[in-house]
Amino acid sequence: MKRNVPIQLLLGLLENMLFDSCVKWENVYSDLFTVMFGVLAPFLFAVFLDELSDTCNLDRNRFIVVYADDILLISPSVVNLENLIHLCERELNWLDMAVNYKKSCCLRIGPRCDVSCANITSLIGQVLPWTNVIRYLGIFIVQSKTFKCSIDEAKHSFYRAANAIFGKIGRFASEEVTLHLLKTKCIPLFSYMDLRLSH
């Protein structure tokens, strides 16, 4: 409602999402069934978490990047990062959500990237480990003096997929078929280069 969505549309969406539905084909109706998921779920989840990014991005020295249930926190200092994590934890707790600490870690980028850092501890006492590689949305970001990504995993995936294709079709397929398979099955692995939340 804060985003000026017309109330009739909002109620219609919620009604269609939460109550039993049926399919109408000409003048015949199907039995009622419950919709367990919907196309709008990712968008509504993004709106739900929008408050989190608004709250956490108030300070110009720290940033939060939210895509679906993947969160990336960026801060210039370890103390600031821990404060940002605590702020996110409180906001997520208010939204009845929690950080999945098993899939969360910290990475240092900058001139002192190889210097050991103090542990960052969550509000519930979980220690977040420091690592030299993190994965966010399929992109592998590596510890370095400057921002750097690694495409090693993407290359391995590409070669695995290409070898699987060559292993199946051998010399039987034409060049056009082989190139089409490589283009559709292998090349996209390079174009898709994940803090996760537990629901």
Side-chain angles (χ1 to χ4, degrees):
M1 290 169 70
K2 284 187 208 173
R3 288 163 177 75
N4 299 317
V5 175
I7 194 72
Q8 292 83 4
L9 176 62
L10 188 59
L11 289 174
L13 285 174
L14 291 174
E15 185 177 319
N16 287 332
M17 286 176 53
L18 299 175
F19 297 106
D20 288 340
S21 302
C22 68
V23 176
K24 179 184 176 190
W25 181 263
E26 294 181 0
N27 291 328
V28 179
Y29 289 87
S30 72
D31 292 334
L32 290 177
F33 59 91
T34 302
V35 178
M36 302 305 286
F37 58 90
V39 176
L40 290 175
F43 299 110
L44 293 175
F45 189 75
V47 169
F48 195 62
L49 281 186
D50 198 34
E51 299 283 328
L52 176 67
S53 65
D54 288 347
T55 301
C56 296
N57 284 336
L58 293 176
D59 186 346
R60 291 178 184 239
N61 291 322
R62 57 190 189 194
F63 302 94
I64 180 170
V65 180
V66 179
Y67 183 82
D69 64 346
D70 290 325
I71 300 175
L72 179 67
L73 304 177
I74 303 170
S75 174
S77 72
V78 175
V79 171
N80 213 347
L81 180 60
E82 187 168 60
N83 290 337
L84 184 57
I85 289 170
H86 293 169
L87 183 65
C88 286
E89 287 177 299
R90 284 192 281 279
E91 188 71 21
L92 289 169
N93 188 40
W94 185 81
L95 294 170
D96 198 25
M97 301 179 81
V99 173
N100 185 342
Y101 298 104
K102 292 179 182 173
K103 295 183 178 179
S104 302
C105 59
C106 304
L107 174 87
R108 196 163 186 195
I109 298 173
R112 300 179 61 215
C113 66
D114 51 353
V115 176
S116 296
C117 291
N119 286 333
I120 292 183
T121 307
S122 73
L123 288 173
I124 63 168
Q126 287 281 38
V127 175
L128 298 175
W130 288 92
T131 184
N132 31 356
V133 178
I134 63 169
R135 181 179 177 179
Y136 183 70
L137 300 177
I139 298 171
F140 290 85
I141 304 169
V142 295
Q143 175 181 302
S144 178
K145 294 188 187 306
T146 59
F147 183 82
K148 189 189 291 186
C149 294
S150 171
I151 63 166
D152 290 342
E153 194 61 35
K155 285 193 293 189
H156 293 150
S157 296
F158 173 83
Y159 287 123
R160 274 193 300 270
N163 286 332
I165 288 171
F166 290 131
K168 294 287 183 193
I169 63 172
R171 297 179 184 195
F172 302 113
S174 67
E175 288 179 11
E176 291 83 15
V177 170
T178 304
L179 288 174
H180 180 74
L181 285 170
L182 290 173
K183 182 180 175 185
T184 57
K185 300 294 182 188
C186 302
I187 299 297
L189 295 172
F190 279 118
S191 59
Y192 176 77
M193 290 280 220
D194 284 279
L195 265 5
R196 293 191 181 233
L197 302 177
S198 55
H199 307 280

